[in-house]
Amino acid sequence: MIDFSLSENQKRLLDLARDFAAGEIKPVAIEFDRESTYPEAILKKAHELGFLYTNIPKPYGGSGMTYLEHYLVTEALNYECCAIGQMIGIAHLASGAILLGGTEEQKKKFIGSMTESYRSACFCLTEPEAGSDAGVMQTTAEKKGDRYIINGSKCYITNGQYADLLCLFATMDRSLGTRGICCFAVPRNTRGIRVGRIEDKMGHRALNVVELFFENLEVGPDNLIGKEGEGFKLAMMALDRGRVNIAAICTGIAQKALDESIQRAKTRVQFGQPIGNHQGVQFMLADMNALIMASRAMYLQVGWMLDQGLRCTTEGALAKFFATDAVMKITTDAVQILGGSGYMRGAVVEKLMRDAKLTQIFEGTNQINRMVAGRGIMGGASKLF
Ligand code: COS
């Protein structure tokens, strides 16, 4: 019943993703990190090869991969640079709520036109005063006739400067809390969208992250995804899937850190032999590998669950905080193994360690994810068999 072997098609897909990462992403990863470069040419190529909209069904212009396949490809693409990998994969989170809650017509219209271009989408939930407590957002959607007039701002929006499609959350009535929130699909060319500050970050430097302002942005009933007040649930359901994606991303970063460490352990000679012959270094490599195996097994399990149509709120949260804490430890240990040369700017593991930190913060801090998992466990979730 349990079988980790891949079909011929899946193997081909994974090889293609690995070749793409090695051929297109690896050569520019350090430079794009230094310069915070928007990886436009890479996104165009990824689009041509079908890596931009991997899990979006074919009728809406995506590649129609299963969740499991999408997460495997995500690990492979993020191996060489997670910032570029996430610019490629942002539609997974950003179009999630529209895919889950939209009508057939809306999916054809909004997702269908998004997939024609390489500019993808962005997920506009977080606000300066509404981060972990996403339900207290201040961006409002005021109803006038059958139109909605949206005013407010969002922060830390990945791909916010470039996305063709915005998945935007706004409240119709703050007194209703999470039940007042609506989800809107908003094409970029709608009047009333302004890009604010472009963030300068510790890691994930090729990831475009900006502030967005909405000034009398007007949309109609066609743009409302689900019913009025269903937006918060749709956001949480998209995040359930996004959090598994983070686990796959972290597995890619962690595997790269381990591979760099192994190479160093084999070639760096001290006390007359490669440092990998010393037990202290071997123990570190073994711990790193164990955490990677577990992270991979977790995202594979949750991917499988999603493909079976099972809810994964608890398991997604568990996978997210486990894999992100794991990658933080693994990349820190990789810098330790590389020593002084790993700590210097331009070293691969130095970048990986800076990149790892954000994963413990975004798509729900690890404290929030432990809380989500704790609630689920108390409710009897996370029993696979
Ligand atoms: N799937 C479906 N429905 C969900 C859900 C999920 N994963 N999570 C919550 N809901 C529903 C609840 O069932 C509840 O429904 P009812 O109104 O019918 O009772 C509603 O949503 C509100 O849920 P809850 O009461 O749990 O909301 P809280 O305000 O307590 O917040 C947390 C819940 C903290 C878990 C949520 O705000 C969260 O995940 N915050 C982090 C946000 C985040 O990840 N930000 C990063 C943005 S992208 S970088």
Side-chain angles (χ1 to χ4, degrees):
M1 172 189 158
I2 296 167
D3 183 356
F4 283 103
S5 55
L6 301 179
S7 69
E8 283 311 309
N9 191 39
Q10 288 168 334
K11 277 187 211 159
R12 194 190 52 79
L13 207 60
L14 200 54
D15 285 345
L16 204 63
R18 286 178 173 151
D19 290 348
F20 182 78
E24 305 293 334
I25 301 177
K26 184 179 178 182
V28 297
I30 297 291
E31 180 200 330
F32 281 20
D33 173 73
R34 191 175 55 241
E35 308 294 335
S36 290
T37 311
Y38 173 59
E40 188 162 17
I42 296 178
L43 294 174
K44 282 183 182 167
K45 276 196 186 155
H47 187 220
E48 280 163 27
L49 289 172
F51 287 136
L52 221 56
Y53 305 118
T54 43
N55 77 308
I56 291 175
K58 286 186 177 166
Y60 317 127
S63 304
M65 293 182 200
T66 63
Y67 278 103
L68 205 72
E69 290 163 353
H70 164 83
Y71 295 132
L72 280 168
V73 165
T74 296
E75 181 190 332
L77 293 176
N78 281 267
Y79 176 82
E80 295 296 352
C81 175
C82 66
I84 299 173
Q86 280 169 85
M87 288 300 288
I88 295 173
I90 184 64
H92 176 66
L93 172 69
S95 64
I98 303 170
L99 279 173
L100 288 161
T103 60
E104 193 55 32
E105 216 177 22
Q106 286 176 319
K107 287 188 260 193
K108 281 203 175 116
K109 180 174 169 188
F110 296 114
I111 307 284
S113 27
M114 175 193 76
T115 52
E116 282 171 15
S117 118
Y118 63 91
R119 295 209 168 232
S120 197
C122 62
F123 186 72
C124 306
L125 180 71
T126 301
E127 297 183 5
E129 303 305 326
S132 293
D133 192 1
V136 298
M137 67 179 59
Q138 293 175 15
T139 296
T140 53
E142 191 192 339
K143 201 160 183 186
K144 284 202 173 152
D146 70 347
R147 312 292 292 171
Y148 301 89
I149 314 295
I150 301 175
N151 280 288
S153 68
K154 299 283 171 181
C155 62
Y156 308 141
I157 304 305
T158 297
N159 198 31
Q161 194 180 352
Y162 301 102
D164 271 341
L165 177 65
L166 284 70
C167 179
L168 173 60
F169 298 89
T171 176
M172 287 186 68
D173 183 348
R174 292 194 69 205
S175 72
L176 294 178
T178 56
R179 292 183 179 182
I181 294 171
C182 301
C183 174
F184 297 97
V186 183
R188 159 73 63 179
N189 57 10
T190 315
R191 276 177 57 159
I193 304 169
R194 183 165 61 82
V195 177
R197 193 177 56 242
I198 301 167
E199 301 293 352
D200 185 10
K201 305 174 292 322
M202 171 202 271
H204 277 79
R205 291 179 53 77
L207 191 73
N208 173 252
V209 175
V210 300
E211 257 181 327
L212 287 177
F213 292 92
F214 307 101
E215 292 151 345
N216 293 322
L217 171 79
E218 186 179 331
V219 291
D222 290 358
N223 302 79
L224 176 73
I225 303 298
K227 295 195 181 73
E228 289 176 0
E230 282 184 356
F232 187 81
K233 280 187 196 174
L234 289 171
M236 292 301 117
M237 288 164 75
L239 281 167
D240 284 349
R241 289 149 180 81
R243 289 166 181 166
V244 195
N245 205 49
I246 303 293
I249 288 164
C250 289
T251 310
I253 305 171
Q255 187 67 57
K256 178 76 177 177
L258 175 60
D259 292 348
E260 291 285 314
S261 303
I262 294 169
Q263 199 190 345
R264 178 70 169 177
K266 283 181 175 169
T267 52
R268 170 73 168 166
V269 174
Q270 290 289 276
F271 303 105
Q273 54 184 325
I275 59 170
N277 286 356
H278 300 301
Q279 215 174 37
V281 173
Q282 283 180 7
F283 284 180
M284 289 169 84
L285 296 174
D287 286 347
M288 290 158 96
N289 209 339
L291 290 171
I292 291 170
M293 270 179 78
S295 300
R296 189 173 289 122
M298 287 175 102
Y299 86 65
L300 288 173
Q301 176 186 325
V302 190
W304 175 84
M305 289 175 72
L306 284 168
D307 285 330
Q308 308 308 306
L310 300 170
R311 184 169 173 175
C312 73
T313 303
T314 305
E315 295 78 0
L318 288 164
K320 196 273 181 187
F321 77 70
F322 181 87
T324 59
D325 284 349
V327 78
M328 195 68 247
K329 176 166 170 33
I330 290 164
T331 54
T332 307
D333 284 353
V335 172
Q336 190 70 19
I337 291 172
L338 274 280
S341 69
Y343 187 72
M344 297 303 148
R345 276 260 185 261
V348 171
V349 291
E350 178 264 348
K351 171 183 181 294
L352 297 177
M353 185 178 165
R354 283 186 287 105
D355 285 344
K357 184 59 211 169
L358 182 60
T359 67
Q360 294 177 305
I361 299 169
F362 64 9
E363 295 200 26
T365 63
N366 281 6
Q367 288 69 27
I368 287 291
N369 275 286
R370 283 183 166 83
M371 191 182 90
V372 170
R375 283 184 188 177
I377 291 161
M378 292 290 284
S382 197
K383 289 184 188 133
L384 186 56
F385 305 115

